Amino acid sequence: HVQLVESGGGSVQAGGSLRLSCAASGFTSSRKFVGWFRRASTKGSEGVASIDSNNKTTYGDSVKGRFTISQDKAKNQVSLQMTNLNVEDTATYFCVADLPPRVCSSDPLVHRQYNYWGQGTQVTVS
């Protein structure tokens, strides 16, 4: 069965950096999308970034230029490097994954497209 295990996160001062990682296992196809969503206490889910099997990346407007998503296919691991963090980035970050055509390549940051979610990891910026 599909498992998404997140690591990283924590607390950092504004302007600092953090790196999140997600180990994805159990997919029978390599043609998957893996991404990150976040949920703040007063907001709904927000798409942060996604990457497909061809390394095509998509970013939410609020993180463009600050966050970078990458993957190591040999390790089935996706990482999210977050720089220049600000207090608005404070949220629980979830790794998500699923396959096309459920995930639309033209708009992969729609949360309802993803069946598989990790347990979440907290990022706090002060």
Side-chain angles (χ1 to χ4, degrees):
H1 66 284
V2 173
Q3 272 194 314
L4 303 175
V5 180
E6 300 129 334
S7 59
S11 297
V12 67
Q13 290 189 332
S17 301
L18 282 174
R19 187 177 183 89
L20 306 181
S21 293
C22 175
S25 62
F27 280 96
T28 57
S29 171
S30 61
R31 293 180 60 245
K32 63 183 179 290
F33 286 79
V34 182
W36 294 89
F37 280 73
R38 66 186 181 186
R39 192 177 298 152
S41 58
T42 58
K43 299 180 181 178
S45 292
E46 177 187 6
V48 176
S50 73
I51 188 166
D52 71 8
S53 58
N54 294 316
N55 286 325
K56 178 185 174 185
T57 58
T58 304
Y59 295 94
D61 288 341
S62 62
V63 307
K64 283 180 182 176
R66 300 188 298 120
F67 291 12
T68 303
I69 189 170
S70 61
Q71 65 183 334
D72 183 335
K73 292 182 179 180
K75 295 181 179 179
N76 278 329
Q77 190 168 63
V78 171
S79 297
L80 184 69
Q81 180 67 45
M82 306 183 292
T83 63
N84 195 20
L85 287 159
N86 56 60
V87 293
E88 287 75 32
D89 296 315
T90 296
T92 302
Y93 284 70
F94 296 88
C95 178
V96 299
D98 219 311
L99 303 173
R102 181 177 180 89
V103 181
C104 179
S105 61
S106 62
D107 190 11
L109 292 182
V110 178
H111 75 277
R112 64 177 179 272
Q113 296 182 116
Y114 293 91
N115 270 326
Y116 304 104
W117 291 65
Q119 79 279 6
T121 185
Q122 179 67 32
V123 171
T124 302
V125 185
S126 60

